[in-house]
Amino acid sequence: MAEIKQAKARELCSASELRLVEASRRQEIGQLSEAQLKRNVARARKLRDKWRDLAARQTRQVQQQQRSRVTDRNARSAEKQAIFDEVLARFEARLEKVSSGAAAPGTRQAAARPSKRKRTLRHRETRAAVRGALEEERARLAEESGSAASTKGARRKKAARKTAQGTVKKTAKKTAKKAAKKAAGKAAGKTAKKGGAKAVARKVSKKVVAPPPTEAAEKPLERSRQRKAATAGKQQRLQTSGVYSRVRGHVSARGRRSQSRRDSRG
């Protein structure tokens, strides 16, 4: 068979046509299956017929217009027709070899397809094997997760128990501390009270001074001159403390200031 020049094919053919031309080369055509060869034969025949018809039509038009059989316009169509004649011949020769079983050793051949019943049985066996493997894996994972969960639960219970014990101990310690503090405070209060009472008694015993004799003591008691118990108690406390009058310096000064204002008005 004549060798197709790749440079000429690239110049004349489109991208899809060039792929078909390259598929007819010796290195690529040996890798095609019978179905692929049949498709390529149909495409090559269609393109060959297309460019053959176009070349014939262009030749007639040129003869009518220019009184010549060959020009640049129909020469390209004729060249493409020749290219696809060669491509078609290659695909047909290869398809004939593959169909008759005389393909060269080392090339791939289409394997006989098993029947539908065999394919179904094989598919079911594969699915059953996959399901069995999945069930085993699921059981293993469930066992691992169960053991992990039990270990985790035991750790949580232990941690909760420790926390509860620590809380109880802490609460008991705080309660005992508060109780001890309260008891110590009560004892200190009692001691302070006793000591304070004794100190007050000693102070009072030192400062108690007998009140000076008054005319009221010599005269018999009159009802109009008797004071209330609160007033009498207050007076008694004043006398006990050694102070005979509640009048202080600021009180007398206030009286003098008031008198001065009254005098200035007069």
Side-chain angles (χ1 to χ4, degrees):
M1 293 184 182
E3 184 67 25
I4 299 173
K5 294 182 179 179
Q6 296 297 320
K8 194 66 174 177
R10 291 192 186 93
E11 180 183 352
L12 297 174
C13 299
S14 63
S16 60
E17 292 173 347
L18 186 60
R19 285 196 295 270
L20 186 63
V21 173
E22 291 178 349
S24 67
R25 297 172 61 187
R26 184 177 301 175
Q27 294 83 356
E28 284 77 11
I29 198 171
Q31 305 297 324
L32 299 177
S33 64
E34 185 177 358
Q36 291 173 329
L37 287 170
K38 288 180 179 179
R39 287 195 298 270
N40 289 344
V41 165
R43 287 187 60 200
R45 183 177 290 113
K46 185 176 180 180
L47 289 171
R48 189 272 315 269
D49 294 344
K50 170 188 173 182
W51 292 112
R52 183 187 60 191
D53 296 343
L54 184 60
R57 187 167 62 252
Q58 288 174 346
T59 300
R60 289 193 299 269
Q61 291 176 355
V62 168
Q63 281 181 327
Q64 292 174 0
Q65 295 174 1
Q66 301 180 7
R67 303 295 180 178
S68 173
R69 295 184 58 86
V70 178
T71 62
D72 292 339
R73 184 178 177 186
N74 60 1
R76 292 173 64 87
S77 301
E79 289 175 354
K80 292 185 76 171
Q81 175 194 346
I83 289 173
F84 286 106
D85 273 334
E86 179 62 25
V87 170
L88 178 59
R90 290 180 182 181
F91 283 131
E92 286 178 343
R94 180 62 185 171
L95 179 60
E96 186 179 355
K97 286 184 180 181
V98 171
S99 300
S100 62
T107 59
R108 295 185 300 176
Q109 296 184 9
R113 190 178 184 185
S115 63
K116 185 176 180 180
R117 184 172 178 276
K118 289 183 179 180
R119 293 198 308 272
T120 303
L121 291 175
R122 189 181 304 168
H123 182 62
R124 288 179 180 175
E125 290 175 0
T126 304
R127 290 182 62 186
V130 171
R131 280 198 301 269
L134 288 175
E135 288 294 335
E136 292 179 1
E137 185 67 16
R138 193 178 292 114
R140 184 182 66 80
L141 291 175
E143 185 178 355
E144 289 181 359
S145 61
S147 60
S150 60
T151 305
K152 195 172 182 180
R155 288 178 180 174
R156 285 182 178 176
K157 288 181 180 179
K158 188 175 181 181
R161 193 162 48 249
K162 284 185 177 180
T163 304
Q165 290 177 357
T167 304
V168 170
K169 288 182 180 180
K170 195 172 182 180
T171 306
K173 191 175 180 180
K174 284 184 178 180
T175 306
K177 191 174 181 180
K178 286 182 180 179
K181 190 174 181 180
K182 190 174 182 180
K186 285 183 177 179
K190 289 181 180 179
T191 305
K193 277 185 179 180
K194 289 181 180 179
K198 289 181 179 180
V200 170
R202 286 196 297 270
K203 188 174 180 181
V204 169
S205 62
K206 289 181 180 179
K207 289 188 177 182
V208 170
V209 179
T214 59
E215 296 181 358
E218 295 178 358
K219 294 181 180 180
L221 294 175
E222 296 180 4
R223 189 174 183 84
S224 60
R225 295 175 61 90
Q226 290 182 2
R227 292 176 292 184
K228 293 183 179 180
T231 306
K234 186 184 295 184
Q235 189 65 31
Q236 184 64 32
R237 286 196 299 275
L238 289 172
Q239 291 178 0
T240 303
S241 63
V243 179
Y244 295 99
S245 174
R246 292 294 300 270
V247 179
R248 297 289 187 267
H250 69 278
V251 178
S252 61
R254 184 175 58 187
R256 289 194 294 273
R257 287 195 297 272
S258 299
Q259 186 61 42
S260 177
R261 285 195 295 273
R262 286 194 295 269
D263 294 341
S264 63
R265 293 191 197 103

